[in-house]
Amino acid sequence: MSFFKKLTETVSKGVSTATEKAQQTVEITKLHSQIAGKRKEIERQYNEIGEAVYKAYLAGDLSKAESEVIPACQVIADKGRDIDALEDRIRELRNEKECECGQRVPFQTRFCPACGKPFPEPVPAAEAPVEGELSVLSEEAAPERAVQAIDIYPEDESADEAWAAGHTAPEQEPSVHEPPPPAKPVVQICTACGAEMPEEARFCQDCGNPMYP
């Protein structure tokens, strides 16, 4: 394979990775914006509840506020569920989720390593349409754009060899003081399913088996 073909593949992979990260950042930003909007609506409902109760207090009959308080409470509950779903989507994009005990783990984990609680099966969240979406270079167009960028150079094997010969990196003398290799993380093996778990895990993340019976 010629040098320019290798360069094409390297550029294409780099553009695809950058595109995925850009799309993820854009989506997370949109989700945070939706969460902020729903929290403002909840705050507005709180204010309306307080105003309705105070007016009923002045009238000497708090039951008069019921017709306004109950619908406002229902709106708050609905917005709260929407926020939970949006936060779950953000954690999914970041490839993580949080247990009730506060432990954050990778999204594909089935059991919490801290308390052993099983995680529910993930449910894909519906994406709400948002106006003014940013246009990001698609993965299909990235390789074509990379090929167009280097088509101005003729593909010549002899030219590749000459270029490589002129840019050969000088050999480096071995260092006298080489750093020791990094220590491998300590893991433990689940006796039930054989999966590798971190040393501090109390339960298996794959089957929920207690690591310290």
Side-chain angles (χ1 to χ4, degrees), residues 3 160-173:
F3 166 75
D160 296 342
E161 295 175 0
W163 187 94
H167 293 75
T168 303
E171 296 184 358
Q172 297 181 355
E173 296 182 359

PDB file of all heavy atoms in Angstrom, residues 3 160-173:
ATOM      1  N   PHE A   3       2.159   5.248   0.313  1.00  0.00           N
ATOM      2  CA  PHE A   3       2.116   6.180   1.443  1.00  0.00           C
ATOM      3  C   PHE A   3       0.846   7.008   1.432  1.00  0.00           C
ATOM      4  O   PHE A   3       0.227   7.240   2.459  1.00  0.00           O
ATOM      5  CB  PHE A   3       3.346   7.090   1.386  1.00  0.00           C
ATOM      6  CG  PHE A   3       3.235   8.293   2.282  1.00  0.00           C
ATOM      7  CD1 PHE A   3       3.393   8.171   3.655  1.00  0.00           C
ATOM      8  CD2 PHE A   3       2.927   9.544   1.758  1.00  0.00           C
ATOM      9  CE1 PHE A   3       3.268   9.260   4.472  1.00  0.00           C
ATOM     10  CE2 PHE A   3       2.812  10.639   2.578  1.00  0.00           C
ATOM     11  CZ  PHE A   3       2.985  10.500   3.940  1.00  0.00           C
ATOM     12  N   ASP A 160       6.892   7.723  -3.350  1.00  0.00           N
ATOM     13  CA  ASP A 160       6.667   7.344  -1.954  1.00  0.00           C
ATOM     14  C   ASP A 160       7.953   6.862  -1.312  1.00  0.00           C
ATOM     15  O   ASP A 160       8.278   7.209  -0.178  1.00  0.00           O
ATOM     16  CB  ASP A 160       5.614   6.236  -1.870  1.00  0.00           C
ATOM     17  CG  ASP A 160       4.275   6.719  -2.376  1.00  0.00           C
ATOM     18  OD1 ASP A 160       4.103   7.952  -2.458  1.00  0.00           O
ATOM     19  OD2 ASP A 160       3.422   5.865  -2.688  1.00  0.00           O
ATOM     20  N   GLU A 161       8.682   6.015  -2.052  1.00  0.00           N
ATOM     21  CA  GLU A 161       9.922   5.485  -1.498  1.00  0.00           C
ATOM     22  C   GLU A 161      10.938   6.594  -1.265  1.00  0.00           C
ATOM     23  O   GLU A 161      11.641   6.621  -0.255  1.00  0.00           O
ATOM     24  CB  GLU A 161      10.492   4.433  -2.448  1.00  0.00           C
ATOM     25  CG  GLU A 161       9.595   3.195  -2.582  1.00  0.00           C
ATOM     26  CD  GLU A 161      10.127   2.229  -3.609  1.00  0.00           C
ATOM     27  OE1 GLU A 161      11.191   2.546  -4.207  1.00  0.00           O
ATOM     28  OE2 GLU A 161       9.509   1.161  -3.817  1.00  0.00           O
ATOM     29  N   ALA A 162      11.004   7.549  -2.231  1.00  0.00           N
ATOM     30  CA  ALA A 162      11.946   8.643  -2.074  1.00  0.00           C
ATOM     31  C   ALA A 162      11.578   9.510  -0.884  1.00  0.00           C
ATOM     32  O   ALA A 162      12.434   9.955  -0.125  1.00  0.00           O
ATOM     33  CB  ALA A 162      11.981   9.491  -3.359  1.00  0.00           C
ATOM     34  N   TRP A 163      10.294   9.762  -0.725  1.00  0.00           N
ATOM     35  CA  TRP A 163       9.843  10.587   0.409  1.00  0.00           C
ATOM     36  C   TRP A 163      10.166   9.894   1.729  1.00  0.00           C
ATOM     37  O   TRP A 163      10.655  10.490   2.663  1.00  0.00           O
ATOM     38  CB  TRP A 163       8.342  10.833   0.303  1.00  0.00           C
ATOM     39  CG  TRP A 163       7.828  11.798   1.332  1.00  0.00           C
ATOM     40  CD1 TRP A 163       7.654  13.126   1.192  1.00  0.00           C
ATOM     41  CD2 TRP A 163       7.417  11.463   2.661  1.00  0.00           C
ATOM     42  NE1 TRP A 163       7.175  13.661   2.350  1.00  0.00           N
ATOM     43  CE2 TRP A 163       7.021  12.668   3.281  1.00  0.00           C
ATOM     44  CE3 TRP A 163       7.372  10.297   3.386  1.00  0.00           C
ATOM     45  CZ2 TRP A 163       6.564  12.713   4.571  1.00  0.00           C
ATOM     46  CZ3 TRP A 163       6.917  10.342   4.687  1.00  0.00           C
ATOM     47  CH2 TRP A 163       6.521  11.541   5.260  1.00  0.00           C
ATOM     48  N   ALA A 164       9.879   8.559   1.793  1.00  0.00           N
ATOM     49  CA  ALA A 164      10.141   7.823   3.018  1.00  0.00           C
ATOM     50  C   ALA A 164      11.627   7.785   3.343  1.00  0.00           C
ATOM     51  O   ALA A 164      12.032   7.872   4.495  1.00  0.00           O
ATOM     52  CB  ALA A 164       9.591   6.400   2.897  1.00  0.00           C
ATOM     53  N   ALA A 165      12.480   7.656   2.277  1.00  0.00           N
ATOM     54  CA  ALA A 165      13.917   7.618   2.512  1.00  0.00           C
ATOM     55  C   ALA A 165      14.433   8.941   3.033  1.00  0.00           C
ATOM     56  O   ALA A 165      15.336   8.995   3.861  1.00  0.00           O
ATOM     57  CB  ALA A 165      14.649   7.235   1.220  1.00  0.00           C
ATOM     58  N   GLY A 166      13.844  10.039   2.539  1.00  0.00           N
ATOM     59  CA  GLY A 166      14.304  11.356   2.964  1.00  0.00           C
ATOM     60  C   GLY A 166      13.778  11.767   4.309  1.00  0.00           C
ATOM     61  O   GLY A 166      14.239  12.756   4.884  1.00  0.00           O
ATOM     62  N   HIS A 167      12.774  11.034   4.833  1.00  0.00           N
ATOM     63  CA  HIS A 167      12.174  11.401   6.113  1.00  0.00           C
ATOM     64  C   HIS A 167      12.290  10.264   7.118  1.00  0.00           C
ATOM     65  O   HIS A 167      11.446  10.112   7.989  1.00  0.00           O
ATOM     66  CB  HIS A 167      10.703  11.780   5.927  1.00  0.00           C
ATOM     67  CG  HIS A 167      10.507  13.045   5.145  1.00  0.00           C
ATOM     68  ND1 HIS A 167      10.678  13.100   3.788  1.00  0.00           N
ATOM     69  CD2 HIS A 167      10.170  14.295   5.546  1.00  0.00           C
ATOM     70  CE1 HIS A 167      10.451  14.333   3.354  1.00  0.00           C
ATOM     71  NE2 HIS A 167      10.145  15.074   4.405  1.00  0.00           N
ATOM     72  N   THR A 168      13.297   9.447   6.961  1.00  0.00           N
ATOM     73  CA  THR A 168      13.488   8.354   7.920  1.00  0.00           C
ATOM     74  C   THR A 168      13.938   8.917   9.258  1.00  0.00           C
ATOM     75  O   THR A 168      14.870   9.710   9.323  1.00  0.00           O
ATOM     76  CB  THR A 168      14.539   7.365   7.398  1.00  0.00           C
ATOM     77  OG1 THR A 168      14.106   6.885   6.125  1.00  0.00           O
ATOM     78  CG2 THR A 168      14.710   6.199   8.370  1.00  0.00           C
ATOM     79  N   ALA A 169      13.262   8.536  10.296  1.00  0.00           N
ATOM     80  CA  ALA A 169      13.592   9.049  11.631  1.00  0.00           C
ATOM     81  C   ALA A 169      14.914   8.466  12.090  1.00  0.00           C
ATOM     82  O   ALA A 169      15.178   7.267  11.892  1.00  0.00           O
ATOM     83  CB  ALA A 169      12.498   8.686  12.630  1.00  0.00           C
ATOM     84  N   PRO A 170      15.800   9.269  12.644  1.00  0.00           N
ATOM     85  CA  PRO A 170      17.089   8.749  13.127  1.00  0.00           C
ATOM     86  C   PRO A 170      16.882   7.783  14.273  1.00  0.00           C
ATOM     87  O   PRO A 170      15.979   7.932  15.087  1.00  0.00           O
ATOM     88  CB  PRO A 170      17.816  10.013  13.599  1.00  0.00           C
ATOM     89  CG  PRO A 170      16.727  10.981  13.912  1.00  0.00           C
ATOM     90  CD  PRO A 170      15.632  10.702  12.928  1.00  0.00           C
ATOM     91  N   GLU A 171      17.729   6.754  14.266  1.00  0.00           N
ATOM     92  CA  GLU A 171      17.632   5.759  15.330  1.00  0.00           C
ATOM     93  C   GLU A 171      18.061   6.374  16.655  1.00  0.00           C
ATOM     94  O   GLU A 171      19.049   7.100  16.726  1.00  0.00           O
ATOM     95  CB  GLU A 171      18.526   4.562  15.002  1.00  0.00           C
ATOM     96  CG  GLU A 171      18.083   3.812  13.744  1.00  0.00           C
ATOM     97  CD  GLU A 171      18.944   2.583  13.517  1.00  0.00           C
ATOM     98  OE1 GLU A 171      19.875   2.381  14.329  1.00  0.00           O
ATOM     99  OE2 GLU A 171      18.684   1.847  12.559  1.00  0.00           O
ATOM    100  N   GLN A 172      17.306   6.097  17.675  1.00  0.00           N
ATOM    101  CA  GLN A 172      17.594   6.634  19.000  1.00  0.00           C
ATOM    102  C   GLN A 172      18.380   5.608  19.806  1.00  0.00           C
ATOM    103  O   GLN A 172      18.081   4.415  19.773  1.00  0.00           O
ATOM    104  CB  GLN A 172      16.302   6.983  19.738  1.00  0.00           C
ATOM    105  CG  GLN A 172      15.501   8.070  19.046  1.00  0.00           C
ATOM    106  CD  GLN A 172      14.244   8.393  19.824  1.00  0.00           C
ATOM    107  OE1 GLN A 172      13.948   7.744  20.806  1.00  0.00           O
ATOM    108  NE2 GLN A 172      13.521   9.409  19.383  1.00  0.00           N
ATOM    109  N   GLU A 173      19.393   6.102  20.456  1.00  0.00           N
ATOM    110  CA  GLU A 173      20.190   5.229  21.296  1.00  0.00           C
ATOM    111  C   GLU A 173      19.375   4.819  22.524  1.00  0.00           C
ATOM    112  O   GLU A 173      18.610   5.611  23.068  1.00  0.00           O
ATOM    113  CB  GLU A 173      21.459   5.943  21.749  1.00  0.00           C
ATOM    114  CG  GLU A 173      22.378   6.301  20.590  1.00  0.00           C
ATOM    115  CD  GLU A 173      23.650   6.955  21.095  1.00  0.00           C
ATOM    116  OE1 GLU A 173      23.773   7.118  22.328  1.00  0.00           O
ATOM    117  OE2 GLU A 173      24.511   7.286  20.265  1.00  0.00           O
TER     118      GLU A 173
END
